[in-house]
């Protein structure tokens, strides 16, 4: 079987050279329904393509755990969309798995003074593991989501491809999903732009057509981030010092700050310095000191990084040193770099141009042409 979801139009949602519509028409496809417009239109497109579609909603957070999750409202929207499309729908509770495999890791990373990305872990630990297993229990031939990604299934190998709309491409968030996790997965929005998705939702009268995209972390919602963390992690206030070691203020806890941050530092009244020019240059975990600067930002730039083990997606003949594109955050274009793969699976990445605010705990994601090769956790930043 050969299925490539990469480019095309609404009438050719499985477009790409070698795509075989007969491979999916009539197949049972379980769609991960989030209550948003993207997954709603993904379900519509699959039904239009002749698939036997089932909607499956994941409840990953319980209100009694704290936070402000919108799951109740999202579930109502799933019911409305599935009712409009005339497809069956179910809800499944993965809150225990989410707490154990995503949230506890999230807290541990903040304890270490790092900046985690729970969306990446949610994809790896929930959406493409227990969710997919549950979908298979429902008899699914394929599992689909509303991610803006492409995918290729050829000769028993699954490759993750970038979306046609690079501005919306979400392969960064799937960099830790295994090849096995991506087997029998479809991404119907691979060829589409966001405005096209909304146009379809409006035309078809889906209740999510004008719904705003979710932003930030689901379990925090609109709550103050610092207040949320305080309910789980004790704050450890300390000194704010400039690059020369002079104390210029107090911080509430290193976990609340990120590299390059300017707002919320509470520094002012220092002769010869402007309050709005201060930014976080470093976090000294050993001494619990937040290091700030009023410079031009040169302290934030780094030439290379060391990573954890690479999660390589699909078969790939990885040379000892690979010239490739690398992203160190989601909203970033691919940066030219050389990635050296060590015997233990870790990477040394050397950038062609220095990168700003590369952050430990985030992910370095590798690209070769239109393919996402996978990624690894950023462990050490080298100036």
């Amino acid at each position: 079987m050969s299925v490539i979801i990469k480019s095309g139009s609404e009438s050719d949602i499985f477009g790409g050279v070698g795509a075989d519509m007969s491979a999916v028409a009539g197949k049972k496809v379980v769609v991960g329904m989030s209550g948003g417009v993207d997954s709603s239109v993904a379900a519509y497109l699959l039904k239009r393509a002749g698939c036997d579609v089932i909607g499956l909603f994941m409840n990953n957070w319980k209100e009694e755990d704290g936070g402000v999750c919108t799951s109740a409202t999202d579930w109502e929207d799933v019911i409305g969309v599935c009712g409009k499309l005339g497809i069956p729908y179910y809800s499944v509770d993965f809150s225990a798995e989410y707490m154990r495999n995503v949230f506890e890791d999230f807290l541990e990373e903040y304890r270490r003074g790092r900046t985690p990305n729970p969306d990446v872990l949610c994809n790896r630990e929930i959406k493409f593991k227990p969710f997919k297993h549950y979908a298979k229990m429902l008899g699914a031939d394929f599992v689909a989501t509303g991610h803006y990604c492409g995918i290729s299934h050829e000769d028993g190998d699954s490759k993750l491809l970038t979306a046609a709309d690079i501005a919306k491409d979400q392969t960064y968030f799937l960099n830790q999903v295994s090849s096995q996790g991506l087997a029998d997965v479809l991404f119907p929005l691979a060829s589409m732009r966001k405005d096209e998705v909304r146009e379809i939702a409006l035309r078809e009268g889906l209740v999510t057509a004008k719904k705003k995209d979710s932003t930030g972390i689901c379990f925090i919602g609109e709550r103050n981030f610092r207040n949320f963390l305080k309910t789980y992690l004790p704050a450890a206030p300390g000194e704010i010092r400039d690059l020369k070691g002079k104390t210029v203020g107090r911080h509430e806890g290193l976990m609340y700050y990120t590299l390059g941050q300017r707002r919320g530092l509470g520094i002012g009244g220092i002769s010869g310095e402007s309050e709005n020019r201060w930014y976080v240059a470093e976090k000294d975990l050993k001494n619990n000191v937040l290091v700030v600067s009023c410079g031009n930002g040169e302290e934030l730039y780094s030439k290379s990084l060391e990573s954890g083990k690479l999660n390589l997606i699909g078969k790939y003949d990885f040379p000892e040193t690979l010239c490739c594109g690398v992203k160190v955050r989601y909203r970033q274009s691919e940066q030219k770099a050389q990635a050296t793969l060590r015997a233990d699976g870790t990477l040394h990445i050397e950038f062609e141009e220095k990168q700003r605010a590369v952050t430990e705990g985030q992910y370095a994601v590798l690209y070769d042409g239109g393919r996402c090769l996978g990624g690894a956790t950023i462990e050490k930043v080298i100036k």
Side-chain angles (χ1 to χ4, degrees):
M1 180 185 70
S2 173
V3 178
I4 302 174
I5 305 182
K6 171 64 177 172
S7 61
S9 62
E10 180 191 345
S11 61
D12 182 26
I13 61 171
F14 303 104
V17 178
D20 183 3
M21 280 293 291
S22 64
V24 294
K27 298 291 185 178
K28 181 175 288 187
V29 182
V30 172
V31 182
M33 304 289 287
S34 66
V37 66
D38 295 330
S39 58
S40 301
V41 172
Y44 159 77
L45 292 172
L46 288 163
K47 183 179 180 183
R48 188 178 184 276
C51 299
D52 178 11
V53 181
I54 297 174
L56 184 58
F57 176 76
M58 293 176 289
N59 191 347
N60 294 334
W61 189 264
K62 290 184 177 180
E63 293 296 329
E64 54 263 35
D65 293 330
V68 182
C69 189
T70 60
S71 60
T73 300
D74 293 336
W75 172 235
E76 291 178 1
D77 289 337
V78 169
I79 294 173
V81 169
C82 292
K84 181 70 174 180
L85 297 178
I87 62 174
Y89 54 89
Y90 303 92
S91 175
V92 60
D93 186 354
F94 290 131
S95 58
E97 292 89 339
Y98 191 93
M99 177 65 71
R100 181 174 61 252
N101 298 326
V102 179
F103 187 65
E104 288 183 2
D105 183 273
F106 170 87
L107 293 179
E108 179 57 29
E109 286 290 273
Y110 271 107
R111 287 190 189 98
R112 298 173 61 190
R114 291 159 47 118
T115 305
N117 191 318
D119 290 335
V120 172
L121 284 181
C122 181
N123 283 318
R124 186 184 76 186
E125 298 295 335
I126 307 297
K127 292 180 182 176
F128 296 93
K129 277 189 179 178
F131 172 84
K132 187 179 177 185
H133 177 71
Y134 193 93
K136 289 291 186 178
M137 289 175 58
L138 293 176
D141 297 302
F142 292 96
V143 174
T145 72
H147 285 99
Y148 288 85
C149 303
I151 197 163
S152 169
H153 303 299
E154 296 181 283
D155 301 324
D157 186 36
S158 298
K159 296 181 177 66
L160 184 61
L161 311 175
T162 54
D165 185 354
I166 295 300
K168 288 296 296 180
D169 178 71
Q170 292 177 307
T171 52
Y172 182 91
F173 294 115
L174 272 64
N175 81 84
Q176 289 296 293
V177 180
S178 68
S179 300
Q180 183 179 5
L182 289 173
D184 301 325
V185 168
L186 305 176
F187 296 124
L189 305 187
S191 67
M192 306 195 72
R193 300 190 313 272
K194 185 73 176 196
D195 59 339
E196 293 175 322
V197 169
R198 289 204 181 275
E199 286 174 8
I200 292 172
L202 284 168
R203 185 189 71 206
E204 298 302 318
L206 304 182
V207 296
T208 55
K210 296 183 179 180
K211 189 173 182 178
K212 292 182 179 179
D213 291 341
S214 59
T215 57
I217 302 170
C218 168
F219 50 78
I220 294 178
E222 299 300 322
R223 281 185 59 175
N224 179 277
F225 179 72
R226 294 186 181 185
N227 290 340
F228 177 82
L229 275 187
K230 284 177 182 177
T231 63
Y232 294 93
L233 299 176
E239 293 184 344
I240 301 177
R241 299 177 186 170
D242 66 15
L243 295 173
K244 296 180 180 180
K246 178 183 177 181
T247 300
V248 295
R250 297 278 298 176
H251 67 76
E252 296 183 38
L254 294 181
M255 61 187 175
Y256 303 133
Y257 304 88
T258 58
L259 291 181
Q261 178 179 332
R262 290 184 180 275
R263 296 183 179 179
L265 301 182
I267 304 173
I270 299 176
S271 178
E273 302 288 3
S274 173
E275 179 179 0
N276 61 10
R277 288 190 60 197
W278 290 105
Y279 57 85
V280 176
E282 182 185 344
K283 293 196 283 187
D284 181 350
L285 301 178
K286 182 179 179 180
N287 299 302
N288 193 31
V289 171
L290 189 70
V291 182
V292 297
S293 175
C294 259
N296 296 318
E298 58 272 13
E299 302 88 2
L300 297 174
Y301 285 84
S302 54
K303 184 66 174 178
S304 59
L305 64 85
E306 306 286 343
S307 83
K309 288 188 177 182
L310 170 67
N311 175 58
L312 185 63
I313 301 173
K315 297 175 183 177
Y316 187 80
D317 187 12
F318 204 109
E320 183 177 346
T321 298
L322 173 69
C323 294
C324 60
V326 176
K327 289 185 180 182
V328 294
R329 63 182 63 86
Y330 168 50
R331 295 197 178 280
Q332 180 188 39
S333 59
E334 295 176 23
Q335 304 297 303
K336 292 181 180 180
Q338 288 189 331
T340 301
L341 183 63
R342 298 191 177 95
D344 63 358
T346 63
L347 292 170
H348 172 80
I349 296 176
E350 193 84 15
F351 293 99
E352 187 174 286
E353 297 182 358
K354 285 190 172 184
Q355 300 297 304
R356 185 181 186 277
V358 180
T359 305
E360 294 174 2
Q362 292 287 299
Y363 294 88
V365 183
L366 278 54
Y367 294 86
D368 183 6
R371 179 179 173 185
C372 176
L373 300 177
T377 309
I378 299 171
E379 297 294 337
K380 183 179 179 181
V381 179
I382 304 170
K383 299 296 184 180

